């Protein structure tokens, strides 16, 4: 009898507890900047897109200095040593 009462008490305690809800991930907005990272044999490529348009590609070669490719006229790219993107870069916390 005690076992039945204990089992009933446990079942009622679990049924009264709230059910955990899965966290819903936010959907991506097309207006948000997107960075796509591609790993190649000789370099790592970071593609920066804003509003769906390719704005810049950061190339980190295995050997050598990092450089940036910016789209120019008709599928050609201009090479720069520094980034041309004006993105906010705030320091939120530092020691």
């Amino acid at each position: 009898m005690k076992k039945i009462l204990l089992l009933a008490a446990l079942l009622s305690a679990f049924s009264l507890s709230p059910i955990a809800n899965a966290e819903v991930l936010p959907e991506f907005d097309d207006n948000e900047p997107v960075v796509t990272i591609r790993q190649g044999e000789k370099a790592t490529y970071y593609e920066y897109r804003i509003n769906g348009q390719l704005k810049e590609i950061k190339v980190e070669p295995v050997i050598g200095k990092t450089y940036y490719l910016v789209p120019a006229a008709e599928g050609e790219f201009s090479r720069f040593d520094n980034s041309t993107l004006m993105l906010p870069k705030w320091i939120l916390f530092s020691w």
Side-chain angles (χ1 to χ4, degrees), residues 10-76:
L10 286 174
L11 289 176
S12 65
F14 284 118
S15 65
L16 294 177
S17 64
I19 297 173
N21 292 331
E23 188 175 328
V24 177
L25 296 176
E27 293 186 20
F28 291 107
D29 186 9
D30 290 337
N31 296 328
E32 295 288 324
V34 176
V35 179
T36 304
I37 303 172
R38 300 185 194 279
Q39 189 72 26
E41 290 181 17
K42 297 182 180 180
T44 303
Y45 305 94
Y46 298 84
E47 295 179 2
Y48 297 94
R49 294 180 184 272
I50 299 174
N51 294 331
Q53 292 183 340
L54 180 64
K55 295 294 184 179
E56 182 176 86
I57 299 173
K58 177 181 177 183
V59 181
E60 288 184 349
V62 175
I63 299 173
K65 201 173 161 186
T66 299
Y67 59 93
Y68 298 85
L69 299 174
V70 178
E74 298 189 24
E76 295 188 19

